[in-house]
Amino acid sequence: MGVEVTSTTEQEIAPVQTPEPTQAASSWTIEDSEELYRINGWGDPYFSINAAGHVVVSPKGDRGGSLDLYELVEALKQRDIHLPFVIRFSDILADRLERLNACFSQAITRYNYPGIYQGVFPVKCNQHRQLVEDLVHFGQPFQFGLEAGSKPELLIALALLKTSNSLLICNGYKDKEYVETAILARRLDKQTIIVLEQLEEVELAIKAHQELGVTPVVGVRAKLSAKGEGRWATSTGDGAKFGLTIPEIVHVMERLQEANLLSSLQLLHFHVGSQISSISVIKDAIREASQIYVQLAKSGADMRYLDVGGGLGVDYDGSKTNFYASKNYNMQNYANDIVAEVKEACEQAKVKAPVLVSESGRAIASHQSVLIFDVLGTSEVLTQKAFEVESSDHLIIRNLWETYQFIQVNNYQECYHDAIQFKEEAISLFNFGYLSLSQRAKAEQLYWACCEKILDIIRHEPYVPDDLEGLQMSMASIYYVNLSVFQSAPDSWAIDQLFPIMPLHRLNEQPTCQGTLADLTCDSDGKITRFIDLRDVKSLLDLHPLNPGEPYYLGLFLGGSYQEIMGNLHNLFGDTNAVHIGLTPKGYQVKQVVKGDTMADVLSYVEYDIEDLIESIRQQTESALEEGTISIAESQRLLNSYKESLNRYTYLSVESYSASR
Ligand SMILES: *Cc1c(COP(=O)(O)O)cnc(C)c1O
């Protein structure tokens, strides 16, 4: 392919042009986009690409009904719902829940397991009311329950969970009030189970039992010695924040025995961390936990439940590997391993098989939400501008021009170093006053033109020399997106988590640009520079050049867990709008629109009084009027726009943004 660069002779007379893309745009197919963005890997069975080159959502997976996501976004905009927004597909949530239960039910049949599965959803994963309500509703046929990790989450779970027999697992740090509330709730026929995670909690439970006269059901959270992995590796082992060591568990049993409550101990819980990428970690943990379980049962506790915690991973990059953004097993493998291990341990020990409980958050809630945002503009290196080099130009410019013309497959590395040297010399000359601003501009443009030409050669080379690796990065465009990473994808900033990100449309068109994403905040960390790839991570995302006057929509997928609640108000960009979509036989229904924060909302979070702010501006306009520095009309316009802004969304309105340019 590299041989095609020989057209330099033609370019010698022509003004500098960016080289044509070597692959004709028309030959690009949606299959190429599928491969590029790996949508079949991470998106299956919910997200795909249609013939129009748009992303399609099939909320019920392969069981019918799909929506064109691009058209949905257009339709929502017509309803005056502004970007950025999160779309939550409750049908996806239902499907995730059904799949998880189906996997356990299949495993139970396959291994002839003499017990049942009864999962719970950890509320901390996504506490939004509509989502938790939906979850409880969809979970009814499976007696699916909730897990609370704090007092406020317990309050949510107590009020919302009304499915009889479904479990309410009480985790996290507990005080007297927490324990009492959980115990008393048993009088409302709630199946609350207090999981003792700290040694003192057993005393709280005993005392509450004695004072209230209600018998609690308790569990113990074990610190396994089986190793976790990756980011959450320290969730197990001796240094873990939560859980009881084996000697501590023995102590708890003694204390319960003394209080005549040993039969209250019915559950064993462990949690090896979130996003477990490797099935072997899960196997090791379940093996150890099964042995602890049978020992507890044999020691006189009335054991009934084995709670395997969370950790069931999501394949963010679609690679099906044990890379941290992926997982090397599927939901069925996960269920099979748990069921088989527990069955074997119980059979050997002649202990009754427990009800299996899991606390999968990420695997249930991630897929249902899609974050959609638009691109405000791009930074492109100014190489396109045609210019001519004349004999009156400074020698350094003529040198750069010569270098540019000279670049070929067999000398690009040498030319690259020459170009760098000439550019640096040009800057020195400028600094000493020997080069004018326009001459420096010409020099820099020529330098970038050289880079562009070299880049076009190395794109087709099988091997790129080390010293040229940074070139691609430095020539990349920045796409400015209408979004706050801190608000909408905090894990991408905080823990380098990868999320699949791709355009929602133009997927039948070759994305000829490569870029990073920069958000609206004025924080240099407010950017996304790591993208999914088949192997490892890419630092640039393939994107389309913006078409003037046309919006360009990007979607961030699989962000339904943890992101929304951990988002923060950096630069006072508030909650985004959220839209709940349900499939209907005729199409879809906008079930609920949860308006994002207005500027007045975020200002009041940080204790500003809106009336005071308006009054301050009003007084300042009055003084200016008195001084004669503003007209009445101007002061009214300023005041009105100030007041109106307060009720507006904190994000940019792209329509007015592009109109004002
Ligand atoms: C966070 C957490 C979960 C959820 O983990 P996922 O990996 O999201 O499924 C479950 N149980 C406990 C105790 C947790 O702390």
Side-chain angles (χ1 to χ4, degrees):
M1 279 284 222
V3 209
E4 286 175 17
V5 188
T6 46
S7 58
T8 33
T9 37
E10 272 173 46
Q11 289 196 349
E12 264 165 35
I13 16 172
V16 179
Q17 296 284 340
T18 330
E20 285 295 307
T22 18
Q23 194 180 6
S26 58
S27 70
W28 187 262
T29 64
I30 59 165
E31 286 77 20
D32 295 323
S33 283
E34 280 171 358
E35 200 179 310
L36 180 63
Y37 297 110
R38 311 204 37 75
I39 188 169
N40 295 341
W42 55 261
D44 183 57
Y46 306 113
F47 304 101
S48 55
I49 302 175
N50 67 12
H54 298 170
V55 173
V56 175
V57 191
S58 310
K60 297 184 178 191
D62 24 34
R63 292 175 297 155
S66 60
L67 298 173
D68 181 317
L69 196 51
Y70 171 78
E71 282 174 13
L72 179 60
V73 170
E74 289 286 324
L76 292 173
K77 279 174 70 181
Q78 280 166 18
R79 289 171 172 81
D80 244 8
I81 303 166
H82 298 290
L83 290 166
F85 49 66
V86 161
I87 306 182
R88 299 202 188 104
F89 295 96
S90 45
D91 298 287
I92 294 188
L93 191 67
D95 190 81
R96 296 303 294 166
L97 203 63
E98 285 162 20
R99 267 169 213 267
L100 182 61
N101 281 281
C103 286
F104 271 98
S105 140
Q106 257 192 44
I108 284 170
T109 309
R110 175 168 169 189
Y111 294 101
N112 216 352
Y113 184 78
I116 60 167
Y117 167 74
Q118 249 194 297
V120 293
F121 176 72
V123 175
K124 78 152 191 262
C125 196
N126 193 325
Q127 299 95 337
H128 281 89
R129 179 169 62 83
Q130 295 82 1
L131 185 136
V132 179
E133 278 175 359
D134 275 352
L135 236 143
V136 168
H137 172 69
F138 299 137
Q140 276 167 2
F142 313 107
Q143 299 187 332
F144 213 79
L146 295 175
E147 182 258 11
S150 65
K151 277 205 276 185
E153 287 180 2
L154 176 67
L155 303 185
I156 294 175
L158 284 175
L160 263 58
L161 186 61
K162 296 178 189 153
T163 316
S164 57
N165 288 329
S166 62
L167 303 175
L168 202 171
I169 306 280
C170 306
N171 283 334
Y173 287 103
K174 301 170 200 74
D175 60 7
K176 182 165 182 249
E177 194 177 56
Y178 184 135
V179 172
E180 285 190 6
T181 310
I183 292 181
L184 276 174
R186 294 195 69 83
R187 291 281 198 231
L188 300 179
D189 204 25
K190 309 268 178 197
Q191 306 302 312
T192 48
I193 301 182
I194 299 171
V195 179
L196 308 175
E197 312 202 359
Q198 311 283 336
L199 213 47
E200 308 78 60
E201 288 172 6
V202 68
E203 306 305 332
L204 286 176
I206 292 171
K207 213 180 244 147
H209 161 65
Q210 287 162 350
E211 280 177 21
L212 302 170
V214 185
T215 307
V217 173
V218 301
V220 282
R221 174 166 177 170
K223 267 185 193 170
L224 300 185
S225 72
K227 286 276 173 297
E229 195 197 54
R231 179 154 299 280
W232 288 275
T234 50
S235 298
T236 61
D238 293 340
K241 180 168 158 189
F242 297 106
L244 303 174
T245 61
I246 301 298
E248 286 171 333
I249 291 177
V250 172
H251 172 80
V252 163
M253 290 182 78
E254 286 164 8
R255 287 293 296 127
L256 289 172
Q257 176 97 59
E258 283 159 24
N260 216 4
L261 275 176
L262 191 52
S263 60
S264 280
L265 177 56
Q266 301 185 358
L267 176 142
L268 173 69
H269 166 58
F270 70 91
H271 175 67
V272 280
S274 202
Q275 184 63 14
I276 303 295
S277 299
S278 167
I279 188 81
S280 63
V281 171
I282 291 165
K283 278 190 189 185
D284 289 349
I286 191 75
R287 187 163 302 150
E288 183 180 356
S290 302
Q291 288 310 319
I292 301 176
Y293 182 89
V294 299
Q295 293 294 328
L296 292 179
K298 285 175 152 181
S299 315
D302 188 14
M303 296 305 286
R304 297 174 189 200
Y305 306 98
L306 178 55
D307 174 357
V308 301
L312 176 54
V314 165
D315 196 357
Y316 293 99
D317 69 7
S319 67
K320 298 186 168 66
T321 60
N322 66 353
F323 187 56
Y324 67 89
S326 184
K327 59 185 173 105
N328 66 1
Y329 59 94
N330 63 28
M331 208 184 244
Q332 189 64 61
N333 305 146
Y334 175 79
N336 287 351
D337 281 349
I338 291 171
V339 169
E341 285 290 344
V342 177
K343 183 182 180 211
E344 196 185 312
C346 289
E347 241 169 30
Q348 270 181 11
K350 300 202 169 45
V351 162
K352 186 166 185 280
V355 172
L356 294 171
V357 183
S358 75
E359 303 176 347
S360 291
R362 190 183 292 275
I364 290 179
S366 294
H367 300 72
Q368 49 84 36
S369 116
V370 184
L371 172 70
I372 292 161
F373 50 99
D374 41 9
V375 174
L376 300 169
T378 66
S379 81
E380 268 169 272
V381 181
L382 281 176
T383 50
Q384 271 99 334
K385 268 200 184 162
F387 54 84
E388 320 232 337
V389 174
E390 291 143 20
S391 53
S392 59
D393 279 317
H394 194 284
L395 175 66
I396 200 81
I397 290 171
R398 282 179 282 135
N399 285 344
L400 271 163
W401 176 232
E402 221 163 74
T403 308
Y404 172 80
Q405 289 170 302
F406 197 52
I407 297 168
Q408 282 186 29
V409 181
N410 56 10
N411 68 5
Y412 63 86
Q413 194 173 9
E414 180 193 345
C415 291
Y416 178 58
H417 292 292
D418 288 351
I420 291 178
Q421 199 196 331
F422 290 137
K423 186 194 75 169
E424 281 168 4
E425 272 174 36
I427 289 172
S428 297
L429 287 166
F430 176 79
N431 288 346
F432 286 106
Y434 296 121
L435 208 61
S436 70
L437 198 63
S438 68
Q439 289 278 284
R440 174 170 165 180
K442 218 168 189 178
E444 287 193 30
Q445 279 186 314
L446 269 169
Y447 167 74
W448 290 118
C450 291
C451 293
E452 187 82 7
K453 196 168 167 187
I454 293 166
L455 204 57
D456 197 55
I457 296 175
I458 59 178
R459 272 198 195 108
H460 308 292
E461 291 287 289
Y463 164 77
V464 178
D466 283 356
D467 48 348
L468 285 163
E469 270 181 354
L471 182 60
Q472 203 161 7
M473 232 9 227
S474 66
M475 294 297 287
S477 307
I478 301 173
Y479 277 62
Y480 297 99
V481 292
N482 196 11
L483 179 80
S484 159
V485 168
F486 303 93
Q487 177 62 259
S488 294
D491 277 345
S492 139
W493 158 66
I495 60 170
D496 282 343
Q497 185 174 331
L498 294 172
F499 293 100
I501 297 174
M502 67 181 285
L504 300 188
H505 53 132
R506 298 175 64 185
L507 296 165
N508 46 10
E509 199 184 305
Q510 184 174 13
T512 50
C513 298
Q514 292 198 309
T516 57
L517 307 182
D519 79 355
L520 288 178
T521 67
C522 41
D523 189 316
S524 51
D525 272 357
K527 60 186 181 195
I528 301 179
T529 53
R530 301 169 78 258
F531 304 96
I532 62 158
D533 201 5
L534 180 57
R535 275 173 215 89
D536 218 334
V537 175
K538 300 201 271 209
S539 43
L540 296 173
L541 184 64
D542 296 271
L543 293 162
H544 301 87
L546 297 189
N547 288 336
E550 246 180 55
Y552 189 50
Y553 303 133
L554 301 178
L556 181 149
F557 296 81
L558 311 185
S561 311
Y562 304 112
Q563 302 316 295
E564 286 184 65
I565 207 63
M566 298 209 299
N568 63 53
L569 287 175
H570 196 8
N571 263 161
L572 297 184
F573 288 106
D575 274 343
T576 65
N577 293 320
V579 190
H580 288 246
I581 300 288
L583 278 195
T584 63
K586 286 188 187 153
Y588 67 91
Q589 198 189 11
V590 180
K591 295 202 300 187
Q592 199 142 24
V593 177
V594 186
K595 278 272 171 200
D597 289 322
T598 61
M599 290 184 232
D601 291 335
V602 297
L603 291 174
S604 60
Y605 293 153
V606 282
E607 308 290 328
Y608 290 94
D609 184 297
I610 302 309
E611 293 306 317
D612 285 355
L613 294 176
I614 298 173
E615 182 57 17
S616 162
I617 300 298
R618 194 195 60 76
Q619 281 174 10
Q620 293 179 57
T621 58
E622 283 302 324
S623 310
L625 278 169
E626 209 180 347
E627 299 283 327
T629 56
I630 197 170
S631 71
I632 287 253
E634 285 167 344
S635 76
Q636 276 313 102
R637 186 156 178 180
L638 175 60
L639 206 52
N640 285 340
S641 114
Y642 190 94
K643 286 187 205 161
E644 280 163 20
S645 292
L646 287 165
N647 296 319
R648 291 229 181 85
Y649 206 21
T650 56
Y651 295 89
L652 297 197
S653 152
V654 174
E655 284 74 16
S656 64
Y657 180 86
S658 35
S660 70
R661 289 224 289 179

